[in-house]
Amino acid sequence: MATITEIAGTKQQKKILRTAAYCRVSSDSFDQLHSFASKAISQNPSMELADIYADEGLTGTKTDKRDDFNRLIADCRKGKINRVLTKSVSRFARNTVDSLMYARMLKEYGVSILFEKENIDTAYMSSELLLALSGAQAQEESISISKNMRWSVERRMKSDTYLSSST
């Protein structure tokens, strides 16, 4: 007579994603970022808040002076983060090359990025085309803003209505 032995199945635990929020913000927007991150993460049972990273009033075209952005990348490299939430591609980087480079780098570390506005999730991207297009649009927007500011200053200087911001 054969003996049947029952093997109890193991419960698979859902992986909890250590999720970080990142944004470049104006000084009065930090509360909005915290609210966005807390709400988005608390509504998803597979996420826990790792940290909030926010650079105040800095340009998105370069990353060298964005301390919290660099801290985010370092924490991803150390394995402290599995996922990054950000409001939009333009808040992450306003340079197409940086957008793609950092998205690829984070993917190598096993970290996905969700860009809320564009609904781009690097965890499910089969192509970088959408990210590249959004990055190019953000870069062009930054260039346009810079040109408009420069034109405005030059026009006010010519009309003798320019007021220096330094005293």
Side-chain angles (χ1 to χ4, degrees):
M1 182 170 183
T3 313
I4 298 174
T5 307
E6 185 178 338
I7 301 173
T10 59
K11 268 190 176 179
Q12 279 192 337
Q13 286 187 324
K14 277 190 172 182
K15 183 178 179 181
I16 303 294
L17 295 173
R18 291 177 313 275
T19 306
Y22 175 76
C23 194
R24 287 181 307 105
V25 297
S26 60
S27 57
D28 58 349
S29 298
F30 186 77
D31 290 339
Q32 289 176 350
L33 171 65
H34 194 276
S35 171
F36 156 71
S38 297
K39 183 178 178 184
I41 294 168
S42 68
Q43 289 179 348
N44 190 330
S46 65
M47 291 185 191
E48 73 177 25
L49 181 62
D51 205 345
I52 296 176
Y53 302 78
D55 288 309
E56 281 189 43
L58 296 171
T59 179
T61 57
K62 296 180 181 176
T63 60
D64 58 339
K65 294 186 176 152
R66 292 166 55 196
D67 294 338
D68 257 18
F69 182 83
N70 291 311
R71 186 172 66 88
L72 168 72
I73 299 301
D75 286 351
C76 289
R77 185 180 302 122
K78 294 173 189 171
K80 294 180 177 182
I81 298 166
N82 305 109
R83 186 150 176 81
V84 175
L85 294 182
T86 189
K87 200 76 170 156
S88 70
V89 173
S90 67
R91 299 289 87 199
F92 186 74
R94 282 204 164 165
N95 175 310
T96 309
V97 173
D98 284 347
S99 294
L100 290 172
M101 181 188 75
Y102 284 105
R104 288 174 184 158
M105 179 189 299
L106 293 181
K107 197 169 197 163
E108 286 178 18
Y109 301 149
V111 178
S112 62
I113 310 167
L114 173 62
F115 300 97
E116 184 191 39
K117 179 181 171 188
E118 296 86 358
N119 197 26
I120 297 172
D121 189 340
T122 63
Y124 304 105
M125 263 182 15
S126 58
S127 163
E128 293 176 338
L129 181 60
L130 281 177
L131 181 57
L133 289 173
S134 295
Q137 185 178 12
Q139 184 172 337
E140 283 304 312
E141 181 182 321
S142 178
I143 291 168
S144 176
I145 290 168
S146 179
K147 284 180 181 178
N148 288 342
M149 293 297 291
R150 189 175 296 118
W151 176 85
S152 174
V153 168
E154 287 174 2
R155 185 159 176 101
R156 286 182 285 146
M157 287 178 130
K158 285 179 183 175
S159 67
D160 222 14
T161 58
Y162 177 75
L163 299 174
S164 174
S165 60
S166 61
T167 51

